[in-house]
Amino acid sequence: MKTVIDLDDELLERARQELGTKSKKDTIHAALRLVAERSERMEAIRELLSIDRDWTGIVDDDKTPDSEKGAA
């Protein structure tokens, strides 16, 4: 559906850069999708956090190449 709205150009440009989109239409659709799917992402995070595991350092470990692990 077509709708005419007054947009904050600076905010739209910041969103475009953050989302990596090229057009106003793509930026608005991506932003709406991001917000619409937020509750699903939050539920997935809650499920992961409910797992009984020590998550300390897991992100840093995943970023370390195998060749460098244990070298220090």
Side-chain angles (χ1 to χ4, degrees), residues 15-57:
R16 187 195 64 73
Q17 289 177 2
E18 184 71 24
L19 295 167
T21 51
K22 296 185 189 251
S23 70
K24 289 180 181 182
K25 180 179 177 179
D26 290 344
T27 302
I28 292 166
H29 284 184
L32 289 172
R33 191 174 306 107
L34 190 67
V35 171
E37 295 171 351
R38 181 179 181 271
S39 63
E40 294 170 18
R41 287 191 304 278
M42 292 302 293
E43 181 58 31
I45 290 169
R46 280 194 277 289
E47 286 181 30
L48 283 173
L49 291 174
S50 72
I51 297 172
D52 187 22
R53 177 184 173 141
D54 179 9
W55 295 98
T56 307

Side-chain angles (χ1 to χ4, degrees), residues 2-17:
K2 290 195 179 224
T3 304
V4 177
I5 57 174
D6 184 25
L7 297 173
D8 179 328
D9 289 334
E10 181 182 337
L11 191 57
L12 184 63
E13 177 59 20
R14 288 174 51 201
R16 187 195 64 73
Q17 289 177 2

